[in-house]
Amino acid sequence: WTYGEGGNGNDGVSQNPTYMYITEGFKTLGLTVTTDQGCAHDTTRVIRVSNPPRPDFTWSKICVETETTEFKDLSNGGIGNIIEYSWDFNDGDTLGYGVPAKTVPLGTHGGRTSNTYKDPHHRYGTFQVYNVKLSIRTDDGCENAITKRIFILDYARPTPTKGYYENFENGKGTWVETSSHLDKTKAGQYSWVFGTPSGQEINSAYSGVNAWWTGGNANSANDYSTYYTNDSTEVTGPCLDLTAMERPMISLNYWSHSQENFDGAVVQYSTNGGATWRTIGDAEKRGINWYNSKNLPGAIGGQDKFAWSGKTFGWKNARFNLDEIPVAERDLVVFRIAFGSNSDNLPDSVLNGFAFDDIYIGEKKRTVLVEHFTNANIANQGQVYLDNLYTNQTLSGVKKRPDFVKVQYHLANGGFDQLNDDNPTDPATRAFIYGIDTPPTTVMDGILGPSPYASSNGLPIEFNGDHALINDIEVDRRALDDPKFMIKDTLYATQPDTGPLVGEVTFTYADSMTTFTTPVILHAALLEGNVGGNRNILRKLLWESGGKTINRTWTEGETLKVPINYAIDVPVTNPDNLYLVTFVQDKLTSYILQSSIIKAPRKLGLTPVGVEDGPLDAEIRDINVYPNPASKHVNFALENPLSGNYTYRIIDQRGVTILEGDLNHDLSTPQQVELNVLSNGIYFVQFRTQGRVVLYRKIAVMNRY
C-alpha cells in the first residue's frame, strides 16, 4: 500500500491495514497485489481525508415572552460538506438530524420551533441560561458537536413613575455574565463574578453585600489583575420596553481600578436582540461622571472609542440620558456592561478591574427651572435663545417633554414695560433673591456661581447670569440629578371661568440617604404661555411674592400639602393658555430643589392693557437698516412716512444704550447715524414709540480706520 502522504515504496504490506493520516486533503491511495506465481497488478484511487467538522453557531433575539430566539449556523465542514444538523435546546425540546434546508415541521414542540434545521428558531418560555448543543454530520461520515451557553433575558415594562431598578441584594436579578470572545480558547472564561467584591482595592458593594466585579482570574498574581488579559466579556441585563418613558436615563454606581487608557468598561444597548451593540454616551464630559477615556487600544464591547478606565479610588455614581436610542426602537432594548483588557498589565499592583452596583433605568426625576429676567426695552436675544432651546428639546421627537421649564420675569429696570406694569412686585422679589439689578439675566435652578459638574475642560462652569451658558448639556446634567423633593400638582376645573383657581400641591421628600433640615421656600406661579411673543410670562406668585417658608426636618416619604385658592386679579390675554409652575427653593443657598409644571384650566383675568400690536407697530415694521455689516455709519430708510413719533436706541449685548435719538418722520430720504464711537461688534437697534419698544433690528459694526 502507498497512502499518499509522503512515504516512499511500500507504506504497508498487510491485506487490510489501518492508517491514521496526519494532514487533511485529497490523497492518492495506491495498492499493488502480487500472486504466489509472481504476477502483480496495481491500481490507484483518490480519496478525501478531512479533519472533523467544526460546529459553531450564534443567536439573537434573546428576550423571553416577546421574541423567538433565532439561531444561525456558523459551522465549518472542512473538506467535507455538512449534510445533517441536530439541535438540543436544553429546555426539553430537541431536533433530530435533518438536512440543512429542510423546514422544521409545522407545530413542532407546540409551535415553539420553526424555520430550517440549519438555522432554527426556538421560543423559550423562561428567563435563564441554557446550554444549547449543535451536532453536525458531513458527507465524509464525520461527526462533531458543540455546546454553547446562551442566555434568555427577562422582560419588563418600566413606567415613568416606577423605573427599572436592581441593587442585587436578592441575587443576580435579571443579569447574567456573557462573553464576546473571538478567541475560542477563552470560551467559558469570564472575568465577571457576582457577590461581595474581595479585591485588594475593590473590596465592597456600594450598597448591601452584592455587586458585579471583574474578579474571576485565578492567576491574578502572575497577570497582575483579578481580570483576564485580552478579556472581552459582559454582564447582560434585562430586556426593557422604554416606550412609556418621556425622558429616559440610566444611573449606576461603579468602581474602576484598571490599567488607564488600556483596560476599561462601557455601557451598551441593543435593539435587535443582541445581534449588534451600540455604546451609550461618550467621553466628552456630558452626563454625570460618564466615561473618562477614549481611543483605547482594546475592543471594549466591540468598540475602542470610550470607556471608564484608570482608578477612581472608590465608588462613583454615573448618569447619562438615553436620548440616543431611536424612538422607534425603544419597545425592546437590552442593556449590558462590557469590560475589555489588553495583553499585559504593569507589575506595580494587582488591578481589580471594574465593579458596578445599583442600576436604575427609567425616567429623569428632576424638572429644571430656568428663570429669565428681562425688560421690553432691551435686546431679546436671551429669551429667543431660551425659547429655541425649549422648543428644540421636543422638536426632534426624542423627548416627549423638555427637561426644563422657563419662567420669564419683566423688570422695571430698562424703561416702561407693560408686562412689568401689570405686576411689578413679584418679578422684583425674585430678582432681589438673586441680587439681580440689571436685565437681561438668566438663572438655572438658582445657581449663580460654580456648577456642581465639571465641563469639557474638567472645570466647573461659572454661572454668571449669561443665558448662553445654559445649554442642552448643562440642562441635561441638572435633570439627571436626583431632586430632594417630588411635586404633585392638582387643579380642579369645576369652578367657572370667572371663579378662582382651586387645587392643592403635595410636596414629598425623596432623598433616602439624608434628612433635610434647611428652611425651604415653596412657590406656586401662574404663567401665561404667550403674551405678544413673550413666552411663559409670570402673571402671579400665588403664595405671596416671598412664597411659603417651611422650617422642619424632612425624612424620606414625608409630605406636605398646600392648598391653592386664587381669585385671578392680574391681566390674562388668553384664558386657555395658563400654566401652574410650582417649585421648592433652598432658603440658604437659593438652589431650586425641584420644580413642576401643569396646564391650568381656563380662567378669565383682568383686561390687559397695551398687549396687542397697534397701527404704529405695523407702519414701522418694513424699515430698512443698512448697510449691514456697517462701517462708520448706518442708514434708516422707509418708503412711506411715519404718522407717529419714534425714537431709536443702539444698545450693546449687555443692554447698555450707546447711541439714541429721534427718528425722522420722512425716511424716504435715509436718515444717517454715525457709528464712529462704537467698537466693532454686534449691536441691537430699538425703535420706540409711546414709551415702549415696537421693533428690534440687529447690526454688525465693522469700522475700518
Side-chain angles (χ1 to χ4, degrees), residues 485 509 514-520 550-560:
F485 290 83
Y509 188 68
T514 61
T515 58
F516 194 77
T517 59
T518 302
V520 297
I550 306 296
N551 285 285
R552 60 179 284 184
T553 297
W554 297 84
T555 59
E556 183 187 17
E558 290 188 340
T559 64
L560 177 66

PDB file of all heavy atoms in Angstrom, residues 485 509 514-520 550-560:
ATOM      1  N   PHE A 485     -37.027  66.764  46.367  1.00  0.00           N
ATOM      2  CA  PHE A 485     -38.469  66.666  46.555  1.00  0.00           C
ATOM      3  C   PHE A 485     -39.135  66.177  45.276  1.00  0.00           C
ATOM      4  O   PHE A 485     -38.609  66.376  44.169  1.00  0.00           O
ATOM      5  CB  PHE A 485     -39.062  68.031  46.925  1.00  0.00           C
ATOM      6  CG  PHE A 485     -38.704  68.515  48.301  1.00  0.00           C
ATOM      7  CD1 PHE A 485     -37.499  69.164  48.536  1.00  0.00           C
ATOM      8  CD2 PHE A 485     -39.567  68.314  49.366  1.00  0.00           C
ATOM      9  CE1 PHE A 485     -37.159  69.610  49.802  1.00  0.00           C
ATOM     10  CE2 PHE A 485     -39.240  68.752  50.630  1.00  0.00           C
ATOM     11  CZ  PHE A 485     -38.034  69.400  50.863  1.00  0.00           C
ATOM     12  N   TYR A 509     -40.722  64.570  50.329  1.00  0.00           N
ATOM     13  CA  TYR A 509     -39.260  64.494  50.413  1.00  0.00           C
ATOM     14  C   TYR A 509     -38.804  63.141  49.873  1.00  0.00           C
ATOM     15  O   TYR A 509     -39.325  62.090  50.271  1.00  0.00           O
ATOM     16  CB  TYR A 509     -38.785  64.685  51.844  1.00  0.00           C
ATOM     17  CG  TYR A 509     -37.278  64.817  51.956  1.00  0.00           C
ATOM     18  CD1 TYR A 509     -36.628  65.933  51.448  1.00  0.00           C
ATOM     19  CD2 TYR A 509     -36.520  63.818  52.545  1.00  0.00           C
ATOM     20  CE1 TYR A 509     -35.253  66.063  51.535  1.00  0.00           C
ATOM     21  CE2 TYR A 509     -35.139  63.934  52.647  1.00  0.00           C
ATOM     22  CZ  TYR A 509     -34.509  65.062  52.136  1.00  0.00           C
ATOM     23  OH  TYR A 509     -33.146  65.183  52.217  1.00  0.00           O
ATOM     24  N   THR A 514     -30.241  61.050  53.179  1.00  0.00           N
ATOM     25  CA  THR A 514     -30.032  62.067  54.216  1.00  0.00           C
ATOM     26  C   THR A 514     -31.352  62.713  54.600  1.00  0.00           C
ATOM     27  O   THR A 514     -32.303  62.760  53.805  1.00  0.00           O
ATOM     28  CB  THR A 514     -29.072  63.169  53.731  1.00  0.00           C
ATOM     29  OG1 THR A 514     -29.648  63.819  52.585  1.00  0.00           O
ATOM     30  CG2 THR A 514     -27.713  62.595  53.363  1.00  0.00           C
ATOM     31  N   THR A 515     -31.400  63.230  55.799  1.00  0.00           N
ATOM     32  CA  THR A 515     -32.503  64.092  56.202  1.00  0.00           C
ATOM     33  C   THR A 515     -32.175  65.519  55.783  1.00  0.00           C
ATOM     34  O   THR A 515     -31.045  65.842  55.444  1.00  0.00           O
ATOM     35  CB  THR A 515     -32.727  64.026  57.720  1.00  0.00           C
ATOM     36  OG1 THR A 515     -31.515  64.423  58.381  1.00  0.00           O
ATOM     37  CG2 THR A 515     -33.102  62.620  58.146  1.00  0.00           C
ATOM     38  N   PHE A 516     -33.187  66.380  55.798  1.00  0.00           N
ATOM     39  CA  PHE A 516     -33.004  67.752  55.330  1.00  0.00           C
ATOM     40  C   PHE A 516     -33.560  68.693  56.390  1.00  0.00           C
ATOM     41  O   PHE A 516     -34.729  68.605  56.768  1.00  0.00           O
ATOM     42  CB  PHE A 516     -33.733  67.948  53.999  1.00  0.00           C
ATOM     43  CG  PHE A 516     -33.339  69.194  53.265  1.00  0.00           C
ATOM     44  CD1 PHE A 516     -32.147  69.260  52.570  1.00  0.00           C
ATOM     45  CD2 PHE A 516     -34.162  70.312  53.256  1.00  0.00           C
ATOM     46  CE1 PHE A 516     -31.783  70.408  51.875  1.00  0.00           C
ATOM     47  CE2 PHE A 516     -33.813  71.460  52.576  1.00  0.00           C
ATOM     48  CZ  PHE A 516     -32.608  71.505  51.881  1.00  0.00           C
ATOM     49  N   THR A 517     -32.717  69.590  56.882  1.00  0.00           N
ATOM     50  CA  THR A 517     -33.129  70.492  57.968  1.00  0.00           C
ATOM     51  C   THR A 517     -33.117  71.955  57.565  1.00  0.00           C
ATOM     52  O   THR A 517     -33.564  72.809  58.333  1.00  0.00           O
ATOM     53  CB  THR A 517     -32.203  70.304  59.180  1.00  0.00           C
ATOM     54  OG1 THR A 517     -30.847  70.571  58.793  1.00  0.00           O
ATOM     55  CG2 THR A 517     -32.298  68.877  59.720  1.00  0.00           C
ATOM     56  N   THR A 518     -32.596  72.268  56.389  1.00  0.00           N
ATOM     57  CA  THR A 518     -32.518  73.657  55.940  1.00  0.00           C
ATOM     58  C   THR A 518     -33.921  74.196  55.638  1.00  0.00           C
ATOM     59  O   THR A 518     -34.737  73.488  55.047  1.00  0.00           O
ATOM     60  CB  THR A 518     -31.647  73.754  54.677  1.00  0.00           C
ATOM     61  OG1 THR A 518     -30.357  73.230  54.957  1.00  0.00           O
ATOM     62  CG2 THR A 518     -31.521  75.185  54.202  1.00  0.00           C
ATOM     63  N   PRO A 519     -34.232  75.426  56.001  1.00  0.00           N
ATOM     64  CA  PRO A 519     -35.533  76.005  55.634  1.00  0.00           C
ATOM     65  C   PRO A 519     -35.700  76.041  54.115  1.00  0.00           C
ATOM     66  O   PRO A 519     -34.741  76.294  53.373  1.00  0.00           O
ATOM     67  CB  PRO A 519     -35.472  77.421  56.211  1.00  0.00           C
ATOM     68  CG  PRO A 519     -34.431  77.361  57.277  1.00  0.00           C
ATOM     69  CD  PRO A 519     -33.430  76.356  56.822  1.00  0.00           C
ATOM     70  N   VAL A 520     -36.909  75.767  53.654  1.00  0.00           N
ATOM     71  CA  VAL A 520     -37.207  75.822  52.221  1.00  0.00           C
ATOM     72  C   VAL A 520     -38.341  76.802  51.988  1.00  0.00           C
ATOM     73  O   VAL A 520     -39.146  77.081  52.886  1.00  0.00           O
ATOM     74  CB  VAL A 520     -37.581  74.442  51.652  1.00  0.00           C
ATOM     75  CG1 VAL A 520     -36.418  73.479  51.774  1.00  0.00           C
ATOM     76  CG2 VAL A 520     -38.828  73.882  52.331  1.00  0.00           C
ATOM     77  N   ILE A 550     -40.891  77.104  55.029  1.00  0.00           N
ATOM     78  CA  ILE A 550     -41.163  75.932  55.863  1.00  0.00           C
ATOM     79  C   ILE A 550     -39.900  75.584  56.641  1.00  0.00           C
ATOM     80  O   ILE A 550     -38.845  75.325  56.048  1.00  0.00           O
ATOM     81  CB  ILE A 550     -41.610  74.720  55.018  1.00  0.00           C
ATOM     82  CG1 ILE A 550     -42.791  75.091  54.129  1.00  0.00           C
ATOM     83  CG2 ILE A 550     -41.923  73.530  55.909  1.00  0.00           C
ATOM     84  CD1 ILE A 550     -44.049  75.473  54.881  1.00  0.00           C
ATOM     85  N   ASN A 551     -39.996  75.581  57.957  1.00  0.00           N
ATOM     86  CA  ASN A 551     -38.898  75.178  58.827  1.00  0.00           C
ATOM     87  C   ASN A 551     -39.263  73.851  59.487  1.00  0.00           C
ATOM     88  O   ASN A 551     -40.141  73.808  60.359  1.00  0.00           O
ATOM     89  CB  ASN A 551     -38.634  76.236  59.910  1.00  0.00           C
ATOM     90  CG  ASN A 551     -37.935  77.456  59.362  1.00  0.00           C
ATOM     91  OD1 ASN A 551     -36.748  77.421  59.084  1.00  0.00           O
ATOM     92  ND2 ASN A 551     -38.692  78.541  59.204  1.00  0.00           N
ATOM     93  N   ARG A 552     -38.603  72.778  59.069  1.00  0.00           N
ATOM     94  CA  ARG A 552     -38.868  71.473  59.658  1.00  0.00           C
ATOM     95  C   ARG A 552     -37.759  70.515  59.236  1.00  0.00           C
ATOM     96  O   ARG A 552     -36.948  70.827  58.365  1.00  0.00           O
ATOM     97  CB  ARG A 552     -40.226  70.922  59.221  1.00  0.00           C
ATOM     98  CG  ARG A 552     -40.356  70.749  57.725  1.00  0.00           C
ATOM     99  CD  ARG A 552     -41.694  70.171  57.305  1.00  0.00           C
ATOM    100  NE  ARG A 552     -41.794  68.750  57.566  1.00  0.00           N
ATOM    101  CZ  ARG A 552     -42.841  68.011  57.223  1.00  0.00           C
ATOM    102  NH1 ARG A 552     -43.901  68.596  56.661  1.00  0.00           N
ATOM    103  NH2 ARG A 552     -42.870  66.731  57.454  1.00  0.00           N
ATOM    104  N   THR A 553     -37.725  69.350  59.828  1.00  0.00           N
ATOM    105  CA  THR A 553     -36.805  68.290  59.421  1.00  0.00           C
ATOM    106  C   THR A 553     -37.559  67.336  58.499  1.00  0.00           C
ATOM    107  O   THR A 553     -38.628  66.829  58.851  1.00  0.00           O
ATOM    108  CB  THR A 553     -36.268  67.536  60.646  1.00  0.00           C
ATOM    109  OG1 THR A 553     -35.518  68.434  61.459  1.00  0.00           O
ATOM    110  CG2 THR A 553     -35.368  66.386  60.215  1.00  0.00           C
ATOM    111  N   TRP A 554     -36.963  67.105  57.317  1.00  0.00           N
ATOM    112  CA  TRP A 554     -37.596  66.234  56.324  1.00  0.00           C
ATOM    113  C   TRP A 554     -36.865  64.891  56.287  1.00  0.00           C
ATOM    114  O   TRP A 554     -35.643  64.853  56.257  1.00  0.00           O
ATOM    115  CB  TRP A 554     -37.534  66.855  54.927  1.00  0.00           C
ATOM    116  CG  TRP A 554     -38.274  68.145  54.753  1.00  0.00           C
ATOM    117  CD1 TRP A 554     -37.814  69.390  55.045  1.00  0.00           C
ATOM    118  CD2 TRP A 554     -39.594  68.306  54.234  1.00  0.00           C
ATOM    119  NE1 TRP A 554     -38.766  70.332  54.744  1.00  0.00           N
ATOM    120  CE2 TRP A 554     -39.876  69.699  54.240  1.00  0.00           C
ATOM    121  CE3 TRP A 554     -40.569  67.431  53.769  1.00  0.00           C
ATOM    122  CZ2 TRP A 554     -41.079  70.223  53.791  1.00  0.00           C
ATOM    123  CZ3 TRP A 554     -41.776  67.945  53.319  1.00  0.00           C
ATOM    124  CH2 TRP A 554     -42.031  69.329  53.336  1.00  0.00           C
ATOM    125  N   THR A 555     -37.618  63.802  56.274  1.00  0.00           N
ATOM    126  CA  THR A 555     -37.065  62.474  56.024  1.00  0.00           C
ATOM    127  C   THR A 555     -37.819  61.852  54.857  1.00  0.00           C
ATOM    128  O   THR A 555     -38.916  62.307  54.501  1.00  0.00           O
ATOM    129  CB  THR A 555     -37.182  61.568  57.266  1.00  0.00           C
ATOM    130  OG1 THR A 555     -38.567  61.448  57.631  1.00  0.00           O
ATOM    131  CG2 THR A 555     -36.382  62.130  58.431  1.00  0.00           C
ATOM    132  N   GLU A 556     -37.237  60.830  54.255  1.00  0.00           N
ATOM    133  CA  GLU A 556     -37.811  60.248  53.044  1.00  0.00           C
ATOM    134  C   GLU A 556     -39.276  59.860  53.251  1.00  0.00           C
ATOM    135  O   GLU A 556     -39.641  59.236  54.244  1.00  0.00           O
ATOM    136  CB  GLU A 556     -37.025  59.015  52.613  1.00  0.00           C
ATOM    137  CG  GLU A 556     -37.533  58.414  51.310  1.00  0.00           C
ATOM    138  CD  GLU A 556     -36.881  57.097  50.959  1.00  0.00           C
ATOM    139  OE1 GLU A 556     -36.269  56.482  51.856  1.00  0.00           O
ATOM    140  OE2 GLU A 556     -36.976  56.680  49.798  1.00  0.00           O
ATOM    141  N   GLY A 557     -40.093  60.280  52.293  1.00  0.00           N
ATOM    142  CA  GLY A 557     -41.502  59.915  52.301  1.00  0.00           C
ATOM    143  C   GLY A 557     -42.417  60.901  52.992  1.00  0.00           C
ATOM    144  O   GLY A 557     -43.645  60.817  52.837  1.00  0.00           O
ATOM    145  N   GLU A 558     -41.867  61.840  53.761  1.00  0.00           N
ATOM    146  CA  GLU A 558     -42.708  62.818  54.431  1.00  0.00           C
ATOM    147  C   GLU A 558     -43.303  63.789  53.420  1.00  0.00           C
ATOM    148  O   GLU A 558     -42.632  64.197  52.472  1.00  0.00           O
ATOM    149  CB  GLU A 558     -41.919  63.576  55.495  1.00  0.00           C
ATOM    150  CG  GLU A 558     -41.561  62.723  56.695  1.00  0.00           C
ATOM    151  CD  GLU A 558     -40.945  63.539  57.811  1.00  0.00           C
ATOM    152  OE1 GLU A 558     -40.445  64.654  57.527  1.00  0.00           O
ATOM    153  OE2 GLU A 558     -40.948  63.068  58.953  1.00  0.00           O
ATOM    154  N   THR A 559     -44.554  64.167  53.623  1.00  0.00           N
ATOM    155  CA  THR A 559     -45.263  65.017  52.666  1.00  0.00           C
ATOM    156  C   THR A 559     -45.823  66.255  53.344  1.00  0.00           C
ATOM    157  O   THR A 559     -46.006  66.299  54.563  1.00  0.00           O
ATOM    158  CB  THR A 559     -46.425  64.257  51.998  1.00  0.00           C
ATOM    159  OG1 THR A 559     -47.391  63.907  52.991  1.00  0.00           O
ATOM    160  CG2 THR A 559     -45.926  63.008  51.299  1.00  0.00           C
ATOM    161  N   LEU A 560     -46.102  67.252  52.513  1.00  0.00           N
ATOM    162  CA  LEU A 560     -46.777  68.466  52.959  1.00  0.00           C
ATOM    163  C   LEU A 560     -47.717  68.902  51.843  1.00  0.00           C
ATOM    164  O   LEU A 560     -47.299  69.042  50.687  1.00  0.00           O
ATOM    165  CB  LEU A 560     -45.772  69.578  53.259  1.00  0.00           C
ATOM    166  CG  LEU A 560     -46.379  70.933  53.663  1.00  0.00           C
ATOM    167  CD1 LEU A 560     -47.103  70.814  55.007  1.00  0.00           C
ATOM    168  CD2 LEU A 560     -45.304  72.002  53.728  1.00  0.00           C
TER     169      LEU A 560
END
